[in-house]
Amino acid sequence: MSEPSDIRIVLVETSHPGNIGAAARAMKTMGLGELVLVNPKDYPCVEATARAAGADDVLANARVVDSLAAAIADCQLTFGATARLRSLRWPVVTVREAAGMAITERQSSKVAVVFGRERTGLSNDELALCQKLLNIPVNPAFSSLNLAAAVQVVCYELRIAALGDAVHEPERPEEEYAPAGMIDSFHAQLERDLVDIGFLDPDNPRQLPLKLRRLFIKARPTINEIKIMRGILKGLSRKRNATDA
Ligand code: SAH
């Protein structure tokens, strides 16, 4: 048995500091300790420490950042925990499947699970940064699960999977997956080039940037594949410039 301590938990724009403390407590009871807070509303706060009930070391080590992209820039597999199953098609796994994948893949990939705001959850742009959506199957007649309770369920399943009860066939890449930050900068370059060739209208982008981002996130490209794509963009732009000249 090995502790699931290397799995990162990310809380996005949490409003109630009590929930941050309760999430830290939920994490520590299950052997997790890596907490990242994206723009917490009211933090640090005595209420967070009180609700952490002894898990104050998790709070003390928590990193505060100003965007989800920054929170997961080094991650190669990110799950977005969501109560609602969005209209845009996106791979959804149950919390149990997700935990199995996370524990299998953590040997080769940095893994994070992201949780949304108490009232509104995660935005589509934030979900687009995640390879998979994670759902806790709840009673459809009463589906409201508190943020810290959702963190508890996820951390429990991670622990069970780490104990070896969940078997998941690993996706075995021959090479390392590209971290989120690398996909991000490739995507920024792609968008600039698409504006340059007139395919993307910056004043009326519609859903194109989001759809393209989803395409690349879903594909889980390796570092080498991103380098190939960057090389292609560079080659095309060289050719364009030569023709323009
Ligand atoms: N009203 C919000 C729910 C927010 S609950 C909404 O409709 O999206 C706060 C966070 O807890 C969610 O963003 C999600 O990360 C997590 N959560 C709550 N219920 C969940 C469920 N059934 N499955 C997965 N995550 C859940």
Side-chain angles (χ1 to χ4, degrees), residues 12-156:
V12 176
E13 291 190 1
T14 312
S15 307
H16 302 295
N19 278 334
I20 298 176
R25 179 179 185 179
M27 286 171 64
K28 191 169 178 180
T29 54
M30 295 298 141
L32 285 87
E34 202 182 310
L35 178 61
V36 179
L37 306 170
V38 179
N39 289 332
K41 284 268 148 58
D42 187 8
Y43 183 83
C45 172
V46 285
E47 205 191 331
T49 315
R51 291 281 302 279
D56 356 18
D57 54 329
V58 176
L59 288 185
N61 292 327
R63 200 153 54 88
V64 178
V65 297
D66 62 6
S67 70
L68 177 55
I72 59 165
D74 58 333
C75 294
Q76 290 140 315
L77 177 58
T78 300
F79 294 94
T82 180
R84 280 173 298 162
L85 304 175
R86 311 276 154 160
S87 49
L88 258 170
R89 287 177 172 224
W90 199 240
V92 182
V93 289
T94 66
V95 59
R96 189 153 295 174
E97 289 172 295
M101 287 180 67
I103 294 302
T104 309
E105 294 215 14
R106 67 176 169 160
Q107 292 149 18
S108 53
S109 294
K110 181 71 192 168
V111 180
V113 186
V114 181
F115 294 83
R117 301 157 188 82
E118 289 94 334
R119 289 179 63 90
T120 53
L122 293 165
S123 70
N124 278 337
D125 283 347
E126 286 160 347
L127 289 172
L129 297 176
C130 307
Q131 269 79 27
K132 295 193 191 292
L133 303 190
L134 174 162
N135 181 252
I136 301 167
V138 287
N139 173 7
F142 188 75
S143 60
S144 167
L145 193 57
N146 164 267
L147 168 62
V151 172
Q152 183 75 75
V153 172
V154 168
C155 293
Y156 168 74

